Amino acid sequence: LLARGGHTVDIDWKEDGKPQRVVINAASDGECKIFKNSDYGTMTITANGENVNYTTVEENGLELIVFDTTKATDYEISYN
């Protein structure tokens, strides 16, 4: 998938239709915002084997996860 900002997104799905693992390849340095859905489980974001710090914000009634990106870096989001 091609996301806003030119980032590419690859998603592995669980049998119940929820995401299990998401990889975002950053097209540029900057900020990435993704929708947070607590129904998916606990979320972890890593890049190059290191945990990525993120914040949670509310915009237009939606809860979003926000983290900084570096161009050409893969950010793996996993749900437990």
Side-chain angles (χ1 to χ4, degrees):
L1 300 171
L2 187 59
R4 192 175 289 164
H7 304 309
T8 56
V9 181
D10 183 32
I11 305 172
D12 293 332
W13 300 96
K14 296 179 184 178
E15 288 184 21
D16 64 4
K18 295 177 183 176
Q20 178 174 339
R21 179 179 162 269
V22 177
V23 177
I24 299 172
N25 181 268
S28 60
D29 295 345
E31 188 176 77
C32 183
K33 295 179 182 180
I34 58 173
F35 173 70
K36 179 183 178 186
N37 186 333
S38 299
D39 292 341
Y40 295 164
T42 305
M43 178 174 38
T44 304
I45 304 175
T46 58
N48 302 317
E50 304 274 330
N51 285 336
V52 173
N53 293 322
Y54 61 86
T55 57
T56 304
V57 299
E58 187 175 319
E59 287 185 13
N60 301 318
L62 297 174
E63 194 170 9
L64 303 175
I65 298 295
V66 181
F67 59 96
D68 292 327
T69 61
T70 302
K71 183 178 181 174
T73 300
D74 285 338
Y75 294 87
E76 182 175 328
I77 301 163
S78 55
Y79 298 90
N80 300 319

